[in-house]
Amino acid sequence: MQRILNALIQFRNVVLYLLLLFIALVFINGNSEFHKTIFSRYGFYVSQRFQSINHKITYFFSLSEVNKKLLEENTTLKALELQNNSIALYPDALTQKARFPFKVVGANVIKNGFLSQRNYVILGRGKAGGIQPEMAVISKNGVVGLVQDVSENYSNVISILHEDMKINVRLKNNRAFGSLAWKGKHPQDFQIEDIVTSAQIRVGDTLITGGMSSYFPVGIPLGKVVQLDSIQLDGYYTIDVKLFEDPSQVQYVYLIENQDREEIKDINQKKNP
Amino acid sequence: MTRENIVLWATFLALLFFQPFVFNQFQLFGSINPLVYLLFLVLYPFDQEQALFIVLGFCLGLGIDFLGQTAGAHTVATLTTAFVRPKLIRYAYGSTAEIPARYIDDSRTFNNFLFLVFLITFHHFLYFIMVYFSWDALGLIANNTFFTSLFSLLLISLISRFYSK
């Protein structure tokens, strides 16, 4: 306190001057509209600067929260997108309410790989987050795999990069369908083996999920045709496919639950006992 | 109260009256009004307490703003000039040489003249900056500062002669 007083006494002229200057400026501000305008313009500029810095700092610290919200929103949008694509399955969608038995949740990828012939993906969401075995796993631009086991907080997914994994696919502008399997080398190089040669297929055609497997809804884009090794005299094409997205590089995935799967399973068993 | 003090207070009051009602009506060449009230800042003893001087400078400017119906440019300019006057004195009379107790005590004409030029130019420049308050008007500010300073200098040096013993 004594030091503050000493400093005040030492700089009393400066303090006095600044005080009186402030009074004079307030006086000008009150008397002259012109000066008032300019002062308020500077005031606005300065406060804008501070607001902007303040906003940047707050924004930086809220980024993770924003990110989380965006992912939630993306999950909702993904569900809507899939629902929208699935309308093709129900030609009467305009007159009756289209059923969409799929439910979408999001999850982070903890571990991923493509070095083995049988690759697995581990997700940071498990039973507690509503994950069940046999849920389909897709990413922004393709399929990732199928849930095999779940623990409380994690789940193990058979990657699409697994030699036993086959996915029902079809062409976007053609009804021809077949099953997609990994070639086992580059994580984006896949092959379709059983599309009949009567189908009109060209290089560059887009592949989407076929919706025949009860795991994946129809219409998830997967990749495009890069090469046609036609006619091996057995009536089937061998098609080389390149995926849109490398499944070993995804960070965030969506899990799809088919709520009708039990029903489909039941009816299937009744038919083929 | 000594005779010098009485003269100083009388000058203060007289300037407060004459500046708005007489000198502000000059309008030489259309717009030049010499700011003669700076005489007070010249005459005030150099060796007195500075805090009181700053307050007096503020009061003088405020009074002239009030009576002359101006926004507050006189207050800011006069207050600031009063605040920096010790520095101006040192520049004008030299930091090593002996500084006189009062303006009128000194016989070095050139230093006196220098002091007046510094004080008046500084004050006028600040005054016109406050009046125009825009960087675009810098040319106008410089022009006005120069011509008004010239007339203020003339009048102040003339009037200050009467205060010499």
Side-chain angles (χ1 to χ4, degrees):
Chain A
M1 195 62 205
Q2 189 60 42
R3 292 172 78 106
I4 296 171
L5 279 180
N6 282 344
L8 272 180
I9 290 167
Q10 195 184 348
F11 296 106
R12 64 186 180 285
N13 289 343
V14 180
V15 173
L16 188 68
Y17 167 69
L18 290 177
L19 182 76
L20 292 176
L21 185 69
F22 177 73
I23 294 172
L25 290 177
V26 169
F27 186 59
I28 286 192
N29 189 42
N31 278 341
S32 160
E33 279 303 317
F34 170 67
H35 288 87
K36 199 175 188 166
T37 315
I38 290 174
F39 282 138
S40 67
R41 193 193 296 160
Y42 281 120
F44 180 65
Y45 177 77
V46 170
S47 76
Q48 209 180 18
R49 273 295 156 98
F50 275 107
Q51 290 289 348
S52 155
I53 291 170
N54 190 15
H55 172 76
K56 273 179 194 160
I57 292 170
T58 341
Y59 182 70
F60 180 78
F61 284 108
S62 66
L63 271 181
S64 66
E65 188 61 29
V66 169
N67 210 6
K68 209 172 122 197
K69 286 215 175 103
L70 281 176
L71 290 173
E72 275 167 17
E73 197 183 339
N74 271 350
T75 309
T76 319
L77 289 175
K78 197 75 192 173
L80 283 175
E81 187 198 348
L82 293 172
Q83 191 168 2
N84 196 31
N85 285 339
S86 74
I87 285 175
L89 270 183
Y90 309 95
D92 295 341
L94 285 177
T95 52
Q96 54 183 228
K97 206 176 166 196
R99 282 198 71 235
F100 183 71
F102 296 98
K103 210 179 90 189
V104 181
V105 288
N108 279 310
V109 174
I110 305 285
K111 178 191 160 285
N112 204 343
F114 64 96
L115 294 173
S116 151
Q117 290 301 299
R118 295 178 181 82
N119 292 295
Y120 291 88
V121 182
I122 293 176
L123 305 181
R125 189 168 184 161
K127 225 180 284 174
I131 311 291
Q132 292 159 10
E134 302 200 353
M135 275 172 94
V137 184
I138 64 168
S139 63
K140 188 175 74 192
N141 244 334
V143 168
V144 174
L146 211 56
V147 176
Q148 192 184 37
D149 299 315
V150 284
S151 66
E152 198 57 34
N153 292 307
Y154 296 94
S155 39
N156 193 17
V157 174
I158 309 176
S159 175
I160 190 177
L161 305 174
H162 188 292
E163 58 177 12
D164 298 336
M165 182 81 170
K166 286 195 166 55
I167 294 170
N168 176 263
V169 294
R170 54 167 268 205
L171 293 162
K172 196 179 181 183
N173 48 7
N174 194 316
R175 290 294 165 101
F177 59 88
S179 51
L180 183 77
W182 187 35
K183 279 174 159 181
K185 288 171 193 157
H186 191 275
Q188 274 179 292
D189 286 345
F190 278 68
Q191 206 165 43
I192 309 174
E193 277 167 350
D194 44 2
I195 284 188
V196 287
T197 48
S198 61
Q200 295 279 317
I201 300 173
R202 275 167 308 194
V203 170
D205 280 356
T206 304
L207 278 166
I208 58 175
T209 50
M212 297 279 182
S213 66
S214 85
Y215 293 119
F216 299 101
V218 73
I220 302 166
L222 284 171
K224 62 181 182 197
V225 176
V226 288
Q227 202 187 335
L228 284 171
D229 291 331
S230 63
I231 323 165
Q232 296 167 331
L233 297 174
D234 55 359
Y236 291 104
Y237 278 121
T238 301
I239 300 173
D240 286 335
V241 174
K242 194 170 169 64
L243 293 194
F244 290 132
E245 194 176 40
D246 183 343
S248 67
Q249 299 298 319
V250 288
Q251 300 276 321
Y252 191 81
V253 294
Y254 305 99
L255 288 106
I256 304 172
E257 184 194 355
N258 188 347
Q259 287 159 328
D260 284 356
R261 206 180 57 236
E262 290 302 319
E263 206 177 321
I264 294 172
K265 226 184 221 169
D266 278 355
I267 203 156
N268 211 14
Q269 274 166 359
K270 269 179 203 161
K271 234 178 170 182
N272 312 308
Chain B
M1 200 178 253
T2 58
R3 188 183 156 273
E4 280 93 17
N5 272 338
I6 296 169
V7 170
L8 207 60
W9 282 107
T11 310
F12 182 88
L13 293 174
L15 287 172
L16 212 52
F17 174 78
F18 279 111
Q19 180 63 42
F21 300 119
V22 180
F23 297 115
N24 274 6
Q25 315 301 326
F26 269 27
Q27 295 178 352
L28 293 163
F29 306 112
S31 66
I32 297 173
N33 292 323
L35 304 176
V36 182
Y37 69 90
L38 282 183
L39 185 65
F40 180 74
L41 301 192
V42 175
L43 291 178
Y44 194 83
F46 293 169
D47 55 357
Q48 291 289 309
E49 174 61 29
Q50 234 238 319
L52 178 66
F53 181 57
I54 290 172
V55 175
L56 283 175
F58 176 76
C59 293
L60 182 66
L62 197 67
I64 284 165
D65 271 326
F66 254 128
L67 297 172
Q69 309 261 301
T70 45
H74 287 296
T75 317
V76 173
T78 313
L79 172 66
T80 310
T81 313
F83 177 64
V84 301
R85 197 182 73 151
K87 281 222 157 23
L88 298 178
I89 292 169
R90 214 169 308 145
Y91 287 136
Y93 292 95
S95 51
T96 52
E98 198 184 331
I99 291 170
R102 288 186 305 172
Y103 169 75
I104 48 177
D105 287 349
D106 205 81
S107 54
R108 291 170 289 181
T109 327
F110 178 70
N111 293 80
N112 279 347
F113 175 72
L114 214 56
F115 173 61
L116 282 187
V117 169
F118 284 168
L119 191 89
I120 291 168
T121 316
F122 180 81
H123 174 274
H124 283 35
F125 188 55
L126 211 59
Y127 171 72
F128 285 112
I129 283 178
M130 287 314 292
V131 168
Y132 290 104
F133 217 62
S134 159
W135 294 118
D136 302 334
L138 211 60
L140 214 55
I141 291 171
N143 197 35
N144 268 318
T145 305
F146 181 73
F147 287 106
T148 312
S149 297
L150 220 58
F151 283 97
S152 299
L153 187 66
L154 199 72
L155 277 170
I156 289 172
S157 51
L158 270 178
I159 297 169
S160 65
R161 289 285 158 103
F162 297 114
Y163 288 84
S164 314
K165 282 169 198 165

